[in-house]
PDB file of all heavy atoms in Angstrom:
ATOM      1  N   ALA A  16      -3.899  21.054  -0.542  1.00  0.00           N
ATOM      2  CA  ALA A  16      -3.425  19.727  -0.756  1.00  0.00           C
ATOM      3  C   ALA A  16      -4.496  18.686  -0.712  1.00  0.00           C
ATOM      4  O   ALA A  16      -4.638  17.801  -1.553  1.00  0.00           O
ATOM      5  CB  ALA A  16      -2.308  19.360   0.219  1.00  0.00           C
ATOM      6  N   ALA A  17      -5.363  18.814   0.389  1.00  0.00           N
ATOM      7  CA  ALA A  17      -6.478  17.879   0.486  1.00  0.00           C
ATOM      8  C   ALA A  17      -7.449  18.057  -0.643  1.00  0.00           C
ATOM      9  O   ALA A  17      -7.973  17.045  -1.152  1.00  0.00           O
ATOM     10  CB  ALA A  17      -7.206  18.147   1.803  1.00  0.00           C
ATOM     11  N   THR A  18      -7.699  19.250  -1.109  1.00  0.00           N
ATOM     12  CA  THR A  18      -8.577  19.493  -2.249  1.00  0.00           C
ATOM     13  C   THR A  18      -8.045  18.826  -3.487  1.00  0.00           C
ATOM     14  O   THR A  18      -8.737  18.228  -4.238  1.00  0.00           O
ATOM     15  CB  THR A  18      -8.745  21.048  -2.480  1.00  0.00           C
ATOM     16  OG1 THR A  18      -9.361  21.613  -1.356  1.00  0.00           O
ATOM     17  CG2 THR A  18      -9.615  21.270  -3.672  1.00  0.00           C
ATOM     18  N   MET A  19      -6.730  18.908  -3.710  1.00  0.00           N
ATOM     19  CA  MET A  19      -6.159  18.290  -4.912  1.00  0.00           C
ATOM     20  C   MET A  19      -6.263  16.784  -4.818  1.00  0.00           C
ATOM     21  O   MET A  19      -6.571  16.125  -5.833  1.00  0.00           O
ATOM     22  CB  MET A  19      -4.645  18.661  -5.004  1.00  0.00           C
ATOM     23  CG  MET A  19      -3.988  18.000  -6.145  1.00  0.00           C
ATOM     24  SD  MET A  19      -2.310  18.688  -6.530  1.00  0.00           S
ATOM     25  CE  MET A  19      -2.795  20.020  -7.611  1.00  0.00           C
ATOM     26  N   MET A  20      -6.140  16.223  -3.643  1.00  0.00           N
ATOM     27  CA  MET A  20      -6.301  14.756  -3.439  1.00  0.00           C
ATOM     28  C   MET A  20      -7.726  14.366  -3.829  1.00  0.00           C
ATOM     29  O   MET A  20      -7.955  13.335  -4.553  1.00  0.00           O
ATOM     30  CB  MET A  20      -6.023  14.328  -2.099  1.00  0.00           C
ATOM     31  CG  MET A  20      -4.538  14.566  -1.617  1.00  0.00           C
ATOM     32  SD  MET A  20      -3.298  13.878  -2.728  1.00  0.00           S
ATOM     33  CE  MET A  20      -2.280  15.301  -3.084  1.00  0.00           C
ATOM     34  N   ARG A  21      -8.694  15.102  -3.378  1.00  0.00           N
ATOM     35  CA  ARG A  21     -10.064  14.789  -3.701  1.00  0.00           C
ATOM     36  C   ARG A  21     -10.324  14.890  -5.232  1.00  0.00           C
ATOM     37  O   ARG A  21     -11.027  14.046  -5.761  1.00  0.00           O
ATOM     38  CB  ARG A  21     -11.057  15.731  -2.930  1.00  0.00           C
ATOM     39  CG  ARG A  21     -11.010  15.589  -1.458  1.00  0.00           C
ATOM     40  CD  ARG A  21     -12.051  16.448  -0.799  1.00  0.00           C
ATOM     41  NE  ARG A  21     -11.976  16.380   0.660  1.00  0.00           N
ATOM     42  CZ  ARG A  21     -11.409  17.324   1.409  1.00  0.00           C
ATOM     43  NH1 ARG A  21     -10.880  18.432   0.773  1.00  0.00           N
ATOM     44  NH2 ARG A  21     -11.327  17.203   2.718  1.00  0.00           N
ATOM     45  N   GLU A  22      -9.806  15.939  -5.850  1.00  0.00           N
ATOM     46  CA  GLU A  22      -9.945  16.047  -7.271  1.00  0.00           C
ATOM     47  C   GLU A  22      -9.328  14.926  -8.046  1.00  0.00           C
ATOM     48  O   GLU A  22      -9.707  14.617  -9.205  1.00  0.00           O
ATOM     49  CB  GLU A  22      -9.393  17.420  -7.711  1.00  0.00           C
ATOM     50  CG  GLU A  22     -10.221  18.640  -7.273  1.00  0.00           C
ATOM     51  CD  GLU A  22      -9.663  19.927  -7.753  1.00  0.00           C
ATOM     52  OE1 GLU A  22      -8.675  19.913  -8.561  1.00  0.00           O
ATOM     53  OE2 GLU A  22     -10.153  20.970  -7.341  1.00  0.00           O
ATOM     54  N   ALA A  23      -8.229  14.317  -7.455  1.00  0.00           N
ATOM     55  CA  ALA A  23      -7.581  13.224  -8.057  1.00  0.00           C
ATOM     56  C   ALA A  23      -8.303  11.909  -7.723  1.00  0.00           C
ATOM     57  O   ALA A  23      -7.802  10.820  -8.188  1.00  0.00           O
ATOM     58  CB  ALA A  23      -6.138  13.149  -7.597  1.00  0.00           C
ATOM     59  N   GLY A  24      -9.350  11.919  -6.952  1.00  0.00           N
ATOM     60  CA  GLY A  24     -10.165  10.744  -6.681  1.00  0.00           C
ATOM     61  C   GLY A  24      -9.831  10.062  -5.388  1.00  0.00           C
ATOM     62  O   GLY A  24     -10.308   8.848  -5.176  1.00  0.00           O
ATOM     63  N   TYR A  25      -9.145  10.715  -4.501  1.00  0.00           N
ATOM     64  CA  TYR A  25      -8.761  10.042  -3.287  1.00  0.00           C
ATOM     65  C   TYR A  25      -9.583  10.521  -2.063  1.00  0.00           C
ATOM     66  O   TYR A  25      -9.901  11.808  -2.007  1.00  0.00           O
ATOM     67  CB  TYR A  25      -7.278  10.270  -2.920  1.00  0.00           C
ATOM     68  CG  TYR A  25      -6.381   9.674  -3.973  1.00  0.00           C
ATOM     69  CD1 TYR A  25      -5.705  10.480  -4.899  1.00  0.00           C
ATOM     70  CD2 TYR A  25      -6.163   8.312  -4.050  1.00  0.00           C
ATOM     71  CE1 TYR A  25      -4.879   9.943  -5.850  1.00  0.00           C
ATOM     72  CE2 TYR A  25      -5.338   7.722  -5.004  1.00  0.00           C
ATOM     73  CZ  TYR A  25      -4.690   8.550  -5.904  1.00  0.00           C
ATOM     74  OH  TYR A  25      -3.859   8.025  -6.862  1.00  0.00           O
ATOM     75  N   ARG A  26      -9.969   9.693  -1.184  1.00  0.00           N
ATOM     76  CA  ARG A  26     -10.661  10.112   0.051  1.00  0.00           C
ATOM     77  C   ARG A  26      -9.732  10.868   0.927  1.00  0.00           C
ATOM     78  O   ARG A  26      -8.490  10.616   0.967  1.00  0.00           O
ATOM     79  CB  ARG A  26     -11.163   8.880   0.795  1.00  0.00           C
ATOM     80  CG  ARG A  26     -12.385   8.165   0.110  1.00  0.00           C
ATOM     81  CD  ARG A  26     -12.795   6.942   0.925  1.00  0.00           C
ATOM     82  NE  ARG A  26     -13.053   7.313   2.344  1.00  0.00           N
ATOM     83  CZ  ARG A  26     -12.575   6.746   3.431  1.00  0.00           C
ATOM     84  NH1 ARG A  26     -11.717   5.776   3.239  1.00  0.00           N
ATOM     85  NH2 ARG A  26     -12.900   7.118   4.612  1.00  0.00           N
ATOM     86  N   GLN A  27     -10.285  11.756   1.749  1.00  0.00           N
ATOM     87  CA  GLN A  27      -9.564  12.511   2.676  1.00  0.00           C
ATOM     88  C   GLN A  27     -10.230  12.533   4.091  1.00  0.00           C
ATOM     89  O   GLN A  27     -11.361  12.193   4.187  1.00  0.00           O
ATOM     90  CB  GLN A  27      -9.378  13.914   2.220  1.00  0.00           C
ATOM     91  CG  GLN A  27      -8.390  14.146   1.010  1.00  0.00           C
ATOM     92  CD  GLN A  27      -6.996  13.732   1.367  1.00  0.00           C
ATOM     93  OE1 GLN A  27      -6.333  14.446   2.137  1.00  0.00           O
ATOM     94  NE2 GLN A  27      -6.540  12.637   0.894  1.00  0.00           N
TER      95      GLN A  27
END
Side-chain angles (χ1 to χ4, degrees):
T18 297
M19 176 168 276
M20 297 305 127
R21 295 187 186 98
E22 291 180 6
Y25 297 107
R26 289 180 54 232
Q27 288 296 288

